[in-house]
Amino acid sequence: MEIFLSALLGELASRSINFFIHKISKKKVLDMEDSLQRALLRAQVIVDEAKGRHITNQAMMQQLDMLRDAMHRGCYILDTFRYQSYDDDEDTKDQSVSHSLSPSILNSQNGIRSSNRKLLLLEQLQESLNNLSSLILDVNEAVVFLASNPRLCSQPYNMHILLGNCMFDRQSESELVINFLLRTNNPHGSQEFEVLPIVGPGKVGKSTLVTYVCMNERVRDHFSEILFLRDHDLTDDGLSKFREGCTIKHQNHIPNTKKEHMRWLLVVDLVGDLNEDAWDRLYSSCKRCMPSNSKIIVTNRSDKIIMFGTINALSLKYLSREALWYYFKTVTFGSMDPKMHPRLVHLAMEFANLMIGSLMGANIMASLLRDNFDNRFWRKTLAFFRGFIQRHVSKYGVHPIFLINQNRSIHLGRVGAPFEDLVFCSEYESCSQEEVPKIKVHDVMYGNAKATLGKFEALAWRSPIPPYSNYVYSCEIRELKSSGRKRKRSTNACNMLCSAIRHVTDGGSKIIVTSRSDKIIKFGTTRPLRIKYLSQEAYWYFFKALTFGSMDPKMHPRLANLAMEMANMLNGCFIGANMTACLLRDNFDIRFWRNVLAFLRGITKNHVHKSCVHPLEVMNLNRPAHLRRMATPSEGFVVYHLYQCSSQEEVPKLKIVDVICGSIKPY
């Protein structure tokens, strides 16, 4: 009765919310969606027009930045609203892994969650529309003034080509640097150089921004020479020959130029830290060699270089979630209309959310997905990507992108070869003229390219924009323990077994071969027999009889409800059913059963979230399963592997259920 009432109340709540949404969706939601789409188009026109103009007014740049951010957020919310139904479909599929309620209750709760999510998205849709419309009104005057700004040279690219071949979302930063470089009045005097520090994490685009600025025609006309000084040139020997240690990126060949009219731009690209003494030596060398009115740009990952600046430092950050989604969707789908592939768009949003604003990661993943517009391939890749991230976050506490930026090793694995581990040992950049490896990282990861065990180098990404850097990884493929040797051994063992049996038996003998792998099918002479887990209904029948025994479950409806949830979470496992039933039979107390259910929910959710696999499946694969202890939840409990032994062999006296429940201390 309680189960029925819970299902009925949940269904009524779900229907009432859905009725409210349905009532407003006919008239308001479609209008709201259409209004937001038109506002986004208008914002896109303004932003694109601004990209083609040279803007010096900082207030106008700030307004345009706010409009651009609002446009990215509006695009993200609109796509989330359009494709959230596919998120509901995925939630329903995930319940097959670890659902803990009866179907009626499960459907009602899913309906409530889905309805609540729709209501939240409606609110965000309205908020985004209001914000974007307000900002468009605010920049109306700025749009008029845009026509008076000089137009920059550009080419009519399609949007996906444009975004893939330009510096994305850095217009205000580039204008700030250009305005700094073109400013002629030096508040510190002509004998001192103005210094602009640019800081930011690895692969955020510091070198790309500086290169882009240095290619600007106004900057090149303003400076007689543009020099680059790398980190390895900052030694005492390098500074003694300052001019020879620099790379000349640009030089104006103007005869009879007076020294007082000459200006140099020096870009110092630092990899490691630069202490104050080293900076003083560098600055002294600059004063001896460079003409007055020259300027210096210093780039580094560390905030320590801020102290060397004469103006406020420019701090670059990774793209926001909304901005990265705008970029990733455009370069992934290219000339295709994302609306024609709603399921792929839903998966693409999940990919984008996992990249934490990394443009390099977005480009690598987009190039992989573009080559195979198949829903199953995208799902498989997403599951692999999720597991890879969760393993590193669980072990190191940070996203693997941060480990790569720190040149620390990361372990990826290979989709096409699950018994091999692909390790990124280090990463380096090379210029466009240098030869790069022919093998690509994503081909090795996803099994498209053959790579033998050992160390090798692979190309991660080749930037299509200046400075056209090549990003190369030093990799190593390692064989996982109990991997390839086992596979070869099993095949050879089966062949040897068949050969031996032929010698010792007559023609009427028969052989039965059992295995978890489908690979034994090729050894059979008849159609194989496949044994699957019990259905949900059959498993519940088994678990109920095992748990309650001679007791009538109808006399204990609350316990029966809890038992049904536990049965649904045990994923058809007989060992799990026997262990759990044994535990419950010893204590027919509702509070204890609730504690057991909460414990099962916790460990199941933890494993499904981290590796997309039920913990019982992890143990079946003889992989470590991370559990907990009910009595001492702060202690970790790891099951490393499972093995069977015959009934005659001696077994441990310690039972695993007693360790989990805290009845026995294993130490």
Side-chain angles (χ1 to χ4, degrees):
M1 178 61 71
E2 290 185 4
I3 299 176
F4 174 76
L5 288 176
S6 298
L8 180 60
L9 291 174
E11 184 68 22
L12 288 174
S14 176
R15 288 187 179 183
S16 63
I17 297 175
N18 280 326
F19 174 76
F20 172 72
I21 295 174
H22 180 72
K23 184 177 180 181
I24 66 173
S25 65
K26 280 189 174 181
K27 183 177 180 181
K28 185 177 180 180
V29 175
L30 291 178
D31 291 342
M32 191 189 309
E33 183 179 351
D34 183 62
S35 298
L36 181 56
Q37 181 66 58
R38 285 187 283 108
L40 287 170
L41 287 174
R42 187 172 181 186
Q44 182 70 61
V45 170
I46 298 173
V47 170
D48 288 347
E49 181 64 20
K51 286 180 181 178
R53 302 282 180 174
H54 170 49
I55 302 172
T56 57
N57 188 299
Q58 293 303 311
M60 185 183 295
M61 286 300 305
Q62 188 174 359
Q63 272 192 320
L64 290 170
D65 282 345
M66 294 171 63
L67 180 63
R68 188 184 298 109
D69 292 341
M71 182 184 72
H72 292 156
R73 284 196 299 271
C75 180
Y76 185 86
I77 293 297
L78 184 60
D79 285 341
T80 303
F81 181 79
R82 283 173 172 170
Y83 309 116
Q84 56 87 30
S85 59
Y86 299 97
D87 196 25
D88 298 336
D89 294 342
E90 296 308 310
D91 289 343
T92 304
K93 291 181 181 179
D94 290 342
Q95 298 299 332
S96 63
V97 179
S98 60
H99 53 274
S100 57
L101 298 174
S102 61
S104 58
I105 299 177
L106 179 65
N107 292 334
S108 63
Q109 290 194 357
N110 280 343
I112 293 173
R113 285 196 296 268
S114 175
S115 301
N116 289 336
R117 189 183 308 158
K118 289 177 182 177
L119 282 175
L120 178 61
L121 285 173
L122 280 174
E123 294 176 2
Q124 293 176 341
L125 203 66
Q126 184 65 62
E127 181 184 356
S128 181
L129 175 59
N130 295 340
N131 186 36
L132 192 59
S133 300
S134 176
L135 284 169
I136 290 175
L137 289 175
D138 289 343
V139 299
N140 272 340
E141 293 182 359
V143 172
V144 176
F145 287 115
L146 274 177
S148 62
N149 291 86
R151 184 174 291 278
L152 301 175
C153 296
S154 60
Q155 295 181 356
Y157 287 116
N158 288 330
M159 182 54 66
H160 67 281
I161 301 176
L162 176 65
L163 290 189
N165 294 276
C166 75
M167 189 176 57
F168 177 70
D169 204 42
R170 297 293 187 201
Q171 185 184 8
S172 61
E173 290 87 347
S174 61
E175 290 295 337
L176 187 149
V177 178
I178 290 174
N179 292 336
F180 159 76
L181 295 177
L182 299 183
R183 187 175 62 193
T184 55
N185 56 328
N186 187 350
H188 305 282
S190 60
Q191 300 303 317
E192 299 295 330
F193 299 138
E194 285 192 279
V195 181
L196 171 64
I198 301 178
V199 298
K203 308 299 182 297
V204 78
K206 299 183 295 294
S207 299
T208 302
L209 174 64
V210 174
T211 304
Y212 174 82
V213 168
C214 291
M215 291 180 64
N216 186 281
E217 290 298 327
R218 291 169 294 145
V219 173
R220 291 183 170 232
D221 291 340
H222 188 73
F223 292 97
S224 54
E225 290 191 11
I226 299 177
L227 310 174
F228 274 65
L229 187 63
R230 301 296 178 183
D231 192 61
H232 59 271
D233 298 322
L234 299 181
T235 60
D236 291 337
D237 293 339
L239 292 178
S240 63
K241 300 178 180 179
F242 175 80
R243 187 68 171 76
E244 291 80 0
C246 296
T247 302
I248 302 176
K249 293 294 184 179
H250 172 70
Q251 193 170 26
N252 279 330
H253 298 284
I254 302 176
N256 303 322
T257 303
K258 295 183 179 180
K259 187 175 181 180
E260 58 268 19
H261 296 300
M262 295 178 61
R263 301 185 189 92
W264 288 6
L265 170 59
L266 175 66
V267 179
V268 183
D269 187 10
L270 297 174
V271 178
D273 289 338
L274 183 67
N275 57 45
E276 194 169 354
D277 291 337
W279 171 256
D280 290 339
R281 292 197 301 271
L282 171 63
Y283 192 79
S284 298
S285 298
C286 293
K287 292 188 70 174
R288 289 196 306 269
C289 303
M290 294 169 56
S292 59
N293 296 320
S294 297
K295 297 194 178 185
I296 302 175
I297 294 177
V298 186
T299 66
N300 192 240
R301 298 182 182 182
S302 174
D303 291 340
K304 295 179 180 179
I305 66 167
I306 293 178
M307 60 185 296
F308 305 137
T310 59
I311 66 170
N312 292 335
L314 174 60
S315 180
L316 298 184
K317 297 180 180 180
Y318 288 119
L319 296 180
S320 66
R321 179 180 61 175
E322 296 83 4
L324 185 75
W325 165 240
Y326 185 88
Y327 177 86
F328 183 68
K329 181 180 71 169
T330 305
V331 297
T332 299
F333 288 92
S335 59
M336 297 178 62
D337 185 0
K339 296 178 184 178
M340 303 299 295
H341 305 275
R343 293 185 179 273
L344 294 183
V345 175
H346 167 70
L347 296 174
M349 291 191 78
E350 296 199 40
F351 277 111
N353 288 334
L354 292 172
M355 291 172 191
I356 61 170
S358 171
L359 268 177
M360 180 175 171
N363 279 283
I364 294 175
M365 188 58 65
S367 64
L368 173 68
L369 299 178
R370 279 197 307 265
D371 293 340
N372 194 342
F373 273 92
D374 178 73
N375 188 57
R376 289 174 298 179
F377 173 75
W378 283 36
R379 289 187 186 281
K380 186 176 181 180
T381 305
L382 178 61
F384 175 81
F385 197 37
R386 278 177 181 158
F388 152 65
I389 292 174
Q390 288 295 338
R391 287 195 304 272
H392 284 78
V393 172
S394 176
K395 187 173 182 180
Y396 302 104
V398 295
H399 195 285
I401 286 179
F402 296 121
L403 298 177
I404 294 175
N405 289 340
Q406 296 170 7
N407 249 354
R408 293 168 58 185
S409 299
I410 61 171
H411 297 257
L412 282 90
R414 300 181 68 194
V415 174
F419 297 101
E420 293 178 352
D421 187 18
L422 174 62
V423 184
F424 287 172
C425 302
S426 61
E427 182 257 359
Y428 66 90
E429 298 178 34
S430 64
C431 65
S432 57
Q433 291 78 17
E434 295 183 49
E435 187 176 354
V436 295
K438 295 181 179 180
I439 190 170
K440 295 181 179 179
V441 166
H442 62 73
D443 289 333
V444 180
M445 288 173 57
Y446 296 96
N448 298 329
K450 294 182 179 180
T452 58
L453 297 176
K455 296 182 178 180
F456 62 97
E457 291 187 343
L459 177 65
W461 183 52
R462 176 175 287 172
S463 174
I465 61 177
Y468 304 107
S469 297
N470 300 310
Y471 298 90
V472 181
Y473 286 152
S474 296
C475 309
E476 182 179 4
I477 291 182
R478 301 173 184 173
E479 187 177 30
L480 296 175
K481 295 180 179 179
S482 305
S483 59
R485 290 191 296 272
K486 270 192 175 180
R487 295 200 310 275
K488 293 179 181 179
R489 196 182 303 134
S490 62
T491 303
N492 294 336
C494 190
N495 291 332
M496 292 173 61
L497 177 61
C498 292
S499 178
I501 291 176
R502 290 193 189 98
H503 285 86
V504 298
T505 60
D506 56 27
S509 300
K510 297 188 177 182
I511 303 173
I512 296 177
V513 183
T514 64
S515 176
R516 299 180 182 180
S517 173
D518 289 340
K519 294 181 179 179
I520 66 168
I521 293 176
K522 62 183 180 181
F523 304 128
T525 58
T526 63
R527 181 177 298 177
L529 175 62
R530 296 179 181 273
I531 299 180
K532 299 181 180 180
Y533 286 115
L534 293 180
S535 66
Q536 185 180 19
E537 296 78 10
Y539 188 77
W540 163 238
Y541 185 90
F542 169 79
F543 183 72
K544 179 175 67 172
L546 199 65
T547 302
F548 288 93
S550 59
M551 295 180 61
D552 186 0
K554 296 179 183 179
M555 302 299 295
H556 304 276
R558 293 180 180 272
L559 295 181
N561 181 32
L562 296 174
M564 181 175 285
E565 294 192 39
M566 293 184 210
N568 289 334
M569 298 189 68
L570 291 173
N571 213 33
C573 175
F574 277 98
I575 295 179
N578 280 277
M579 290 173 56
T580 306
C582 177
L583 180 66
L584 299 177
R585 281 199 308 264
D586 293 340
N587 193 342
F588 273 89
D589 178 75
I590 191 168
R591 288 176 298 179
F592 176 73
W593 282 37
R594 283 176 177 167
N595 289 337
V596 174
L597 175 60
F599 173 77
L600 288 175
R601 279 178 180 159
I603 61 175
T604 303
K605 182 179 179 181
N606 183 51
H607 276 78
V608 172
H609 178 68
K610 286 185 176 180
S611 56
C612 302
V613 181
H614 195 284
L616 292 172
E617 293 183 20
V618 173
M619 286 189 273
N620 286 339
L621 295 171
N622 253 346
R623 289 162 52 190
H626 294 261
L627 311 178
R628 295 197 313 271
R629 300 184 65 199
M630 289 176 58
T632 53
S634 60
E635 293 182 353
F637 176 54
V638 184
V639 178
Y640 288 100
H641 63 272
L642 173 72
Y643 67 92
Q644 298 174 237
C645 61
S646 65
S647 57
Q648 291 78 21
E649 294 183 56
E650 187 176 356
V651 295
K653 296 180 180 179
L654 192 64
K655 294 182 179 180
I656 194 169
V657 292
D658 293 330
V659 177
I660 292 176
C661 296
S663 305
I664 296 177
K665 293 184 178 181
Y667 45 82

